[in-house]
Amino acid sequence: MLALAGFAIGDLYYLNGRIAPDTRVGTLSVGELTPEEALRELTTQPISAILPKSVTFTSDDIKLVHTLEDLGARIDYPATVAEALRKSWAGGVPAIWWRRLTGHKLVIEPSLQLDSVSTFNAIKAASRHIDRAVRDAELYPLPDKKAAVRPGLRGRTLKVKQSGDLALEMAKEGRLTIPLTIVYEDPKVTEQQLTAMLPLTQLSTFTTVFGTHDSPNRIHNIQHIARLITNSVVTPEGTFSLLSKTGDFTAEGGFKEAYVILEGKL
């Protein structure tokens, strides 16, 4: 009994000021090291050797995985070592001896700092694959003046700033599965609405011609408008509006500058 007590006292004397045994930072053992020794050991290792994990951005059916190096991750080594020293002695000697007897390891998650530029660039790149315009359900013609319904598409926009800010904050806490902030827009005309209207009656068709001598831009505009209004549906109490289909006649709306015929004059 006296021998055990003497061993315990000697052990405590040796461990004074050191990180308690059976302590790891990520996968790297720092038990029984002084803070200075632990800091030196950590800073000589690549981040992937300390924390062999990835950052995962998720939302619904979306899952994007990046290595820590992709996002320019850095470990806050002084803060991590201080946390290891504090937590390893939490609970005092009984907790230390319990870990020794059971083989349990105290694992400290490093305090991470993601590089903001690399993180935001990664999320911006993801937005090119995530963002999509909303599309209303529409009709397409079948033989004998019948029609079928083409389903609409839910639009979505990745909010880059909100997602990036959240990623930087969560990484500091060692949380590496980051929910993306995505705003969704539902179609105004749904497949269910159009299906309920079937069968439809064809109210009108129109055909016109234009000469090959017309300017390429005017031909483009005529074809563009035709695409926008084809298969338009008017409900029993509705009104057809050309402008509601075309929007403003701007480059953003898909139009090109060309001459027009106004009151019979070019």
Side-chain angles (χ1 to χ4, degrees):
M1 195 70 173
L2 288 175
L4 184 61
F7 177 76
I9 292 171
D11 195 33
L12 286 173
Y13 179 79
Y14 168 72
L15 292 174
N16 184 39
R18 295 174 180 267
I19 298 171
D22 303 305
T23 303
R24 294 179 178 276
V25 171
T27 60
L28 193 67
S29 176
V30 294
E32 302 186 29
L33 298 180
T34 65
E36 293 77 15
E37 291 169 341
L39 190 61
R40 202 159 44 242
E41 181 69 18
L42 288 167
T43 53
T44 58
Q45 301 293 326
I47 193 170
S48 57
I50 301 170
L51 197 63
K53 295 183 179 181
S54 301
V55 177
T56 303
F57 295 102
T58 64
S59 180
D60 297 336
D61 59 335
I62 300 163
K63 183 178 181 181
L64 306 170
V65 180
H66 290 274
T67 66
L68 293 173
E69 286 82 358
D70 288 342
L71 304 182
R74 302 182 305 277
I75 293 176
D76 187 341
Y77 293 108
T80 300
V81 169
E83 185 77 351
L85 181 63
R86 183 184 67 80
K87 284 189 174 180
S88 70
W89 282 94
V93 174
I96 294 172
W97 276 86
W98 177 82
R99 289 198 294 271
R100 279 188 164 179
L101 292 172
T102 62
H104 179 78
K105 305 295 182 185
L106 174 64
V107 179
I108 307 298
E109 292 294 337
S111 177
L112 277 178
Q113 295 175 335
L114 299 182
D115 177 67
S116 60
V117 174
S118 299
T119 300
F120 276 92
N121 284 342
I123 296 174
K124 285 178 185 175
S127 70
R128 291 195 289 269
H129 304 285
I130 293 173
D131 291 358
R132 66 188 183 201
V134 64
R135 186 185 71 209
D136 286 341
E138 58 186 4
L139 297 169
Y140 61 93
L142 294 173
D144 301 326
K145 296 184 179 181
K146 293 181 179 179
V149 178
R150 182 178 291 112
L153 184 67
R154 198 182 189 200
R156 62 189 185 194
T157 303
L158 173 60
K159 308 304 285 185
V160 174
K161 186 177 187 309
Q162 290 92 322
S163 297
D165 289 343
L166 183 61
L168 298 179
E169 288 303 313
M170 290 183 66
K172 292 178 183 178
E173 302 169 3
R175 296 188 290 161
L176 301 181
T177 299
I178 316 294
L180 292 170
T181 303
I182 297 178
V183 175
Y184 292 92
E185 182 181 0
D186 292 321
K188 292 183 175 64
V189 180
T190 68
E191 180 181 7
Q192 291 77 10
Q193 289 171 326
L194 293 184
T195 301
M197 294 179 173
L198 297 177
L200 297 175
T201 301
Q202 187 179 75
L203 295 178
S204 176
T205 62
F206 180 78
T207 303
T208 187
V209 296
F210 50 88
T212 56
H213 62 278
D214 274 334
S215 71
N217 284 3
R218 184 167 185 266
I219 293 173
H220 165 85
N221 289 342
I222 293 170
Q223 292 173 334
H224 183 51
I225 290 176
R227 284 192 294 269
L228 292 174
I229 66 174
T230 295
N231 295 328
S232 296
V233 177
V234 182
T235 60
E237 297 180 0
T239 301
F240 174 78
S241 167
L242 177 64
L243 291 180
S244 70
K245 293 290 184 180
T246 63
D248 294 333
F249 298 114
T250 62
E252 292 75 15
F255 292 92
K256 296 183 178 181
E257 185 175 349
Y259 65 84
V260 296
I261 298 174
L262 181 63
E263 296 181 353
K265 296 181 180 180
L266 184 63

